[in-house]
Amino acid sequence: MRVLVVEDEKKVAGFIKRGLEQEGYVVDTAMDGVEGEEYADAHEYDVIVLDIMLPRKDGIEVLKDIKGKGIKSPVLLLTARDSVEDRVKGLNLGADDYLTKPFAFEELIARIRALMRRGGHGPAVLKYEDLSLDPVTRRARRGDKEVELTLKEYALLEYLLRNPERVLSRTLIAEHVWHQSFDTETNVVDVYINHLRNKIDKDPSRRLIHTVRGVGYVLKKEWD
Ligand code: CA
């Protein structure tokens, strides 16, 4: 899931980028309208977060041009509280939603998820055998049983599903899911693997998450 953030205020851009990365998105940031448009041309984004007040080329102009080029990525505009006119203009030009500054991060992430769902543009469901994970609803399914996951359980399972049949060390998992390496004494990874097992891997004859002794874990089908 790849998001482009076009925002010249460094603090705001950094705050959005960090937050989205923690949610597992890949984030590119552009500091002005011209650069933003270049990014939008060069990559296919699941969502573009576009500020209106930008140097070199404002967000409304960028929006007009990228929609004119047929770029299909949904656009979420960031607007100042008092700019009703810009908001209307933006929506008329094909922006998919807008958010008024200042906003809470939770609000932003909710809008981004809604856009991915609405456009059918969202990332595909990840699947391995009878285990699947929907990145939009964050629900996992094993056979006909659907379960809700916490943020970290979700990130962990997503990582496993993106790397099936590959042995993943605890260090790799910790770096990827927690964005840090733990010292070897901590067993955070094992604790979360156990949570996942309890939710989606209970049947011992159809186990998918296997411990690789002294190394880490692997997602693998081992029955016939
Ligand atoms: Ca700005």
Side-chain angles (χ1 to χ4, degrees):
M1 292 173 281
R2 191 162 186 169
V3 178
L4 172 63
V5 177
V6 191
E7 164 63 275
D8 59 310
E9 285 166 70
K10 277 208 170 103
K11 260 175 89 172
V12 180
F15 155 78
I16 297 175
K17 183 177 163 72
R18 274 193 308 278
L20 290 176
E21 282 176 348
Q22 274 165 22
E23 298 276 328
Y25 294 82
V26 175
V27 183
D28 292 332
T29 52
M31 302 303 280
D32 64 59
V34 174
E35 194 189 17
E37 201 175 317
E38 284 167 6
Y39 272 93
D41 279 339
H43 308 281
E44 199 178 308
Y45 291 101
D46 295 300
V47 171
I48 298 174
V49 178
L50 180 62
D51 188 33
I52 288 187
M53 300 273 280
L54 291 169
R56 291 176 80 195
K57 183 168 185 172
D58 74 35
I60 294 290
E61 290 301 311
V62 174
L63 175 68
K64 200 193 289 178
D65 288 349
I66 65 176
K67 291 291 173 184
K69 286 175 195 162
I71 291 170
K72 296 267 189 306
S73 312
V75 175
L76 173 66
L77 282 181
L78 301 182
T79 72
R81 186 167 294 283
D82 51 0
S83 63
V84 182
E85 200 192 323
D86 280 346
R87 214 172 293 161
V88 172
K89 224 191 268 174
L91 292 172
N92 282 338
L93 283 169
D96 298 85
D97 201 356
Y98 68 86
L99 196 55
T100 307
K101 286 178 170 180
F103 51 84
F105 184 75
E106 283 308 309
E107 180 71 9
L108 177 72
I109 195 82
R111 301 293 183 95
I112 288 178
R113 286 200 194 118
L115 283 180
M116 288 182 167
R117 197 175 307 137
R118 207 166 71 197
H121 195 273
V125 170
L126 297 167
K127 242 179 121 74
Y128 183 78
E129 291 301 319
D130 62 344
L131 171 64
S132 63
L133 182 66
D134 184 337
V136 174
T137 62
R138 290 179 176 266
R139 281 166 169 271
R141 180 181 282 275
R142 181 75 197 266
D144 51 13
K145 188 179 167 239
E146 201 176 66
V147 290
E148 206 146 337
L149 301 176
T150 66
L151 211 64
K152 287 300 174 200
E153 289 164 2
Y154 169 85
L156 177 57
L157 184 57
E158 186 192 30
Y159 188 49
L160 292 171
L161 277 165
R162 287 192 188 282
N163 297 280
E165 296 174 11
R166 182 181 154 203
V167 176
L168 302 168
S169 70
R170 285 185 181 76
T171 309
L172 257 184
I173 294 173
E175 282 173 0
H176 191 90
V177 177
W178 282 269
H179 304 284
Q180 54 183 296
S181 34
F182 302 120
D183 69 69
T184 47
E185 300 302 309
T186 63
N187 61 346
V188 179
V189 174
D190 310 278
V191 168
Y192 275 83
I193 286 281
N194 274 333
H195 290 175
L196 271 187
R197 279 178 167 154
N198 285 328
K199 287 188 172 180
I200 51 104
D201 209 24
K202 269 189 177 160
D203 179 354
S205 66
R206 295 173 62 80
R207 190 156 282 162
L208 286 175
I209 302 172
H210 301 276
T211 305
V212 181
R213 205 179 284 272
V215 184
Y217 296 94
V218 62
L219 183 74
K220 197 173 179 205
K221 177 195 169 190
E222 288 190 343
W223 68 87
D224 289 320

